[in-house]
Amino acid sequence: LVSCKRFARAAGGDVWLEASRLCTPDDATSGSDFRFALPGKLVPVAPADAPPCGGGAADAVVSSSAAAPADVPASSSGTAPTTPAAGPETGAPTATTTAPRKLPAAMRAIIVEDSQLIRRTIAAKLRSVGRATATEWVELVEHDTVEAFIAAGHRSDDAAVLVTIDENMDAAGGHLCGRDLVAHLVEKQFRGLLASVTGDDESAQLHRDLGADISWTKPLPKLEVMVADLTLAFDGKNRRVL
């Protein structure tokens, strides 16, 4: 909400946090209540020439909760699990079709995010993913800036690693942005998964254009969407490597 606060203050108002709710192993929902104060005059009726809400280029953005068939979880990566093709006579899968792989039994996660609350939320949601996929997160590392991540010297050759990346981390004193980290890891041929976790579509698309494997919103999508995204991304990336 750094950009929202700047906008509000530039207009003579402010934004502040009123309450936060942390997710738990029994309840993965979380969120925060913010109050916005802006000077202005309430207009009871919109002008006749005002454009309709929700119109324009924003309609072209695909949401992570986009509709999917009832037996296929929606995926924020814009893909769905592939059904094996039937053989021409027997109806059995052909020899060239391979079922999607599962996540590794053990993975590491590195969360790059300037908000401690959001870092905890992501960690709790990933633990829920682990329980749903029988994946053990052997390590959950948190960094509040891109600089801290780079200074830690993480390996690039381990495929069983997920890095979640925010865009703006100036609230923690960071000068580099999430886009810098995505470009840095792609250049180093990072073998793990890169998940963009940002609050705006423009940054998410930029991360995907630079090479991020997954794009998640804030708040995080439903558990089944995250499981589908991670499974498909891990499967696709490692098939390309192999």
Side-chain angles (χ1 to χ4, degrees):
L1 283 168
V2 175
S3 58
C4 295
K5 193 175 186 71
R6 287 176 177 171
F7 172 81
R9 286 185 170 178
D14 204 352
V15 180
W16 62 92
L17 175 67
E18 287 202 330
S20 296
R21 298 177 299 282
L22 284 175
C23 57
T24 66
D26 298 323
D27 183 6
T29 61
S30 63
S32 301
D33 296 329
F34 292 88
R35 184 176 292 273
F36 291 74
L38 293 172
K41 180 180 179 181
L42 293 177
V43 180
V45 180
D49 58 347
C53 294
D59 291 340
V61 178
V62 178
S63 170
S64 63
S65 59
D71 58 342
V72 179
S75 168
S76 61
S77 302
T79 57
T82 303
T83 302
E89 297 178 359
T90 64
T94 62
T96 58
T97 303
T98 304
R101 299 171 182 172
K102 296 181 178 179
L103 291 177
M107 289 190 69
R108 296 170 52 239
I110 306 171
I111 302 169
V112 187
E113 162 69 52
D114 59 347
S115 167
Q116 183 183 43
L117 173 63
I118 297 178
R119 291 199 303 270
R120 290 178 178 176
T121 301
I122 295 173
K125 203 66 176 282
L126 289 179
R127 292 189 184 98
S128 296
V129 169
R131 288 191 291 271
T133 59
T135 297
E136 178 186 3
W137 297 100
V138 295
E139 187 177 31
L140 285 168
V141 180
E142 298 180 7
H143 295 303
D144 58 2
T145 63
V146 173
E147 289 87 342
F149 176 96
I150 295 175
H154 295 287
R155 293 170 50 189
S156 297
D157 59 350
D158 187 358
V161 180
L162 168 69
V163 181
T164 70
I165 305 173
D166 187 21
E167 172 59 11
N168 296 310
M169 282 164 272
D170 49 357
H175 297 289
L176 296 177
C177 297
R179 68 189 71 180
D180 301 314
L181 181 54
V182 175
H184 170 74
L185 291 174
V186 170
E187 183 179 0
K188 293 189 66 175
Q189 297 183 334
F190 180 74
R191 286 197 58 198
L193 298 179
L194 303 180
S196 170
V197 184
T198 66
D200 67 277
D201 294 329
E202 183 178 352
S203 295
Q205 185 60 55
L206 178 58
H207 288 189
R208 292 302 298 268
D209 292 342
L210 289 170
D213 305 289
I214 300 169
S215 174
W216 289 330
T217 58
K218 294 178 182 177
L220 290 170
K222 294 181 179 180
L223 177 62
E224 57 266 28
V225 174
M226 295 181 66
V227 169
D229 284 346
L230 286 168
T231 303
L232 289 169
F234 183 82
D235 182 43
K237 192 162 190 174
N238 285 278
R239 285 175 193 244
R240 291 196 300 270
V241 172
L242 296 175

